[in-house]
Amino acid sequence: MALQSTRILDARWHLFLQVAQAGSVSGAAVALDMPASVVSRTIALLESDAGARLFRRTGRGVVLTEFGAQVLPRIQALMREAEQLADDMRTRSGLPMGDVRVGMLPSTVGVLAGPLFTEARRRWAEVRLHLTEGASGQLEEWLGQGRLDMATLLRETDTPDDATEPVLARLHLNLVMPRQHPLAGRKTVSFDELAGLPLVLPSDPHPLRARLVKLARDRGVALTCALEADSIRLQHQMVASGGGVAITAGTLDAPLARQLAVVRIARPTLTRAVVLAETAQRPSTLATRSVAALLRTLAPGVLRLHG
């Protein structure tokens, strides 16, 4: 197949990348908001033009054939070059333009999404923000796939090693419990006092759970997992339903704030770092750099205020 540059810029190759990233026709269809039949038909046309199969169908989706794996990096490189050229042409006036895809943690959406959208719209009329909510691990996966330009992520260490990920805020870990719980009136609770409490924890493997298990082992504390829930929102709901107590950072949703109490964990004090990570799979544009700078300015104030 002759990989002519004019051919590569065909919108069908963007769809090829989406299917490769999603690992399934249905996943790409959801991401692109189009019928799966259209995606499947388009891939079939590409394969017909290429004279070889790009994907091999499996019970779980699709995987690249040997030929598809050879084509993929060339398509990605040409797409990045085309996107960079388009950005250079659009921004000759010095004004940010184009799409910027930002992933946000559920705990940051309520306090950060509104100010980010409002300020970006005020400053740059030609920048189109696409905001996505997801758990830290999910957002990191999407960054690796190039589906996002940047995202707020959680790091369980107080001082992340990666200097390329600016720390936006450090949030204290708290014990969340029903208001009638015996510990609810306290200002702080020591980590050792968690021994024997019915904990609502994220499923293993999870960075926070691994951190808590290691700390408990080091301190000779026996932790009891009463229930597993894989999002802060779910953990708080389970606590409100009598499932136990949870260890989380950030604020409570308004409806639950009347039912639950928050007590800071001390001795030792535990924090989580909220960082801003950027993808290496998409070109850096004036628009993405401008939004990243805005996030670095806005996020520390609002997250520290509500952390």
Side-chain angles (χ1 to χ4, degrees):
M1 180 182 67
L3 295 180
Q4 303 285 345
S5 60
T6 53
R7 191 67 166 166
I8 294 304
L9 296 180
D10 190 309
R12 297 181 302 173
W13 289 106
H14 288 278
L15 192 147
F16 163 75
L17 291 181
Q18 287 286 344
V19 174
Q21 290 168 1
S24 70
V25 169
S26 59
V30 170
L32 295 167
D33 193 23
M34 64 170 52
S37 60
V38 174
V39 177
S40 183
R41 187 162 57 249
T42 303
I43 293 299
L45 288 172
L46 277 176
E47 292 176 329
S48 177
D49 287 352
R53 300 291 292 271
L54 294 165
F55 295 101
R56 177 169 56 82
R57 279 66 178 173
T58 71
R60 294 186 175 183
V62 297
V63 295
L64 289 166
T65 62
E66 182 178 352
F67 176 70
Q70 292 173 353
V71 169
L72 179 64
R74 298 175 66 182
I75 300 296
Q76 290 173 323
L78 285 166
M79 289 297 182
R80 285 195 295 269
E81 183 178 351
E83 290 176 357
Q84 188 66 65
L85 175 61
D87 181 66
D88 292 343
M89 295 174 65
R90 286 196 305 265
T91 59
R92 292 187 66 181
S93 64
L95 295 176
M97 300 179 184
D99 298 319
V100 180
R101 293 168 173 81
V102 181
M104 307 190 78
L105 295 163
S107 57
T108 66
V109 168
V111 295
L112 187 55
L116 175 64
F117 171 76
T118 300
E119 188 62 18
R121 183 174 59 177
R122 185 186 72 81
R123 295 188 186 190
W124 312 300
E126 299 300 320
V127 170
R128 295 179 297 277
L129 280 182
H130 301 262
L131 302 181
T132 300
E133 179 181 348
S136 187
Q138 188 177 40
L139 295 176
E140 193 150 21
E141 180 180 344
W142 291 341
L143 282 173
Q145 295 172 346
R147 295 172 63 179
L148 298 172
D149 292 298
M150 66 197 73
T152 57
L153 302 177
L154 287 172
R155 294 289 182 248
E156 293 303 332
T157 55
D158 291 338
T159 54
D161 296 329
D162 193 344
T164 65
E165 297 180 343
V167 176
L168 303 179
R170 291 186 175 87
L171 307 179
H172 286 275
L173 283 175
N174 303 309
L175 191 65
V176 180
M177 66 204 79
R179 284 194 172 272
Q180 64 271 24
H181 194 279
L183 297 175
R186 301 267 294 273
K187 290 186 177 180
T188 64
V189 59
S190 71
F191 183 84
D192 294 358
E193 291 179 276
L194 303 183
L197 294 180
L199 297 175
V200 180
L201 295 174
S203 302
D204 202 20
H206 188 281
L208 175 59
R209 182 159 179 171
R211 179 187 183 187
L212 295 173
V213 168
K214 181 181 183 303
L215 181 59
R217 184 170 60 247
D218 292 345
R219 298 178 69 88
V221 174
L223 297 183
T224 301
C225 179
L227 194 66
E228 293 182 339
D230 291 333
S231 76
I232 292 176
R233 192 171 299 166
L234 276 174
Q235 291 166 23
H236 291 170
Q237 287 287 351
M238 294 303 97
V239 172
S241 300
V245 297
I247 301 171
T248 64
T251 57
L252 299 170
D253 290 341
L256 294 179
R258 294 187 293 271
Q259 303 177 49
L260 304 179
V262 176
V263 178
R264 182 160 296 179
I265 297 173
R267 303 185 304 278
T269 297
L270 304 176
T271 64
R272 308 176 85 179
V274 180
V275 303
L276 179 64
E278 299 181 53
T279 185
Q281 306 304 318
R282 297 176 61 83
S284 172
T285 68
L286 180 58
T288 61
R289 293 191 297 273
S290 298
V291 171
L294 177 57
L295 269 170
R296 290 193 294 270
T297 300
L298 283 177
V302 297
L303 294 180
R304 186 164 52 246
L305 181 63
H306 293 83

